[in-house]
């Protein structure tokens, strides 16, 4: 398996509860290296652009409102099979269905306020990393 990069976001429900370090410990414990990280407060336009693929979903407006409700921590994770490995340690979208030990099982508040975002493919990872970071920001 090749060394991959993926985009992770620690969502406002987690930053609000001061869980950035706890989430990072889970990521690092899963063998992922945090090679870039920045804490930002997204504007509505930025959140809409990031989640544009979900524009037609019934929860789109709620999701955007949630994502601008507090700071987020965007990060680039690097590791073997990083996209899949991150999805594994994140757990299922709905914390009720997430496996024990996953970030969402331990920290998520609801299907919406589920603590973390992770790219779902290598193709989307490249697009999402470029949304937040330039090449110079990423130090492998
Ligand atoms: P993910 O890849 O596991 O994050 O899940 P999706 O790509 O399907 O959804 C994106 C994000 O939208 C999720 O992480 C949740 O924050 C939110 N979301 C997903 N499904 C629902 C839902 O049924 N209701 C609400 N309110 N939010 C949802």
């Amino acid at each position: 398996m090749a060394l991959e990069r993926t985009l992770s976001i620690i969502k406002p429900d987690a930053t609000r509860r001061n869980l950035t370090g706890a989430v990072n410990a889970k990521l690092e414990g899963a063998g992922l290296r945090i090679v870039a990280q920045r804490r930002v407060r997204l504007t509505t336009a930025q959140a809409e652009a990031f989640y544009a693929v979900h524009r037609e979903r019934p929860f789109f407006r709620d999701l955007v409102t949630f994502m601008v409700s507090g700071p987020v921590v965007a990060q680039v994770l690097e590791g073997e099979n990083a996209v899949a490995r991150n999805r594994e340690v994140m757990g299922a979208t709905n914390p009720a269905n997430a496996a024990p030990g996953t970030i969402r099982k331990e920290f998520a508040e609801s299907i919406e306020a589920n603590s973390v975002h992770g790219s779902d493919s290598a193709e989307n990872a490249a697009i999402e990393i470029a949304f937040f970071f330039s090449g110079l920001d990423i130090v492998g």
Side-chain angles (χ1 to χ4, degrees):
M1 256 300 154
L3 199 63
E4 263 182 0
R5 286 177 177 170
T6 190
L7 192 278
S8 165
I9 303 176
I10 303 177
K11 294 183 178 181
D13 67 287
T15 61
R16 187 179 304 120
R17 287 174 290 147
N18 214 19
L19 292 173
T20 299
V23 170
N24 282 351
K26 287 278 193 194
L27 297 172
E28 292 181 342
L32 294 161
R33 187 171 293 273
I34 301 163
V35 295
Q37 178 166 261
R38 64 193 283 235
R39 181 175 168 104
V40 291
R41 183 82 187 242
L42 293 174
T43 65
T44 297
Q46 288 167 339
E48 286 172 350
F50 184 79
Y51 278 119
V53 291
H54 293 314
R55 218 173 10 236
E56 305 307 326
R57 310 272 287 270
F59 56 81
F60 177 70
R61 190 45 49 198
D62 285 346
L63 175 60
V64 167
T65 300
F66 164 62
M67 290 299 287
V68 304
S69 69
V72 300
V73 178
Q75 12 182 234
V76 180
L77 308 178
E78 184 178 87
E80 292 294 316
N81 217 5
V83 172
R85 187 168 292 189
N86 184 42
R87 298 289 306 185
E88 238 175 73
V89 71
M90 287 165 61
T93 307
N94 186 345
N97 303 327
T102 60
I103 292 167
R104 284 168 166 171
K105 184 65 173 187
E106 292 195 10
F107 303 130
E109 295 181 318
S110 67
I111 191 170
E112 178 178 271
N114 59 4
S115 301
V116 280
H117 166 87
S119 307
D120 63 4
S121 68
E123 293 72 24
N124 284 338
I127 294 166
E128 292 179 357
I129 287 170
F131 187 91
F132 284 99
F133 298 98
S134 78
L136 279 176
D137 297 324
I138 304 169
V139 184

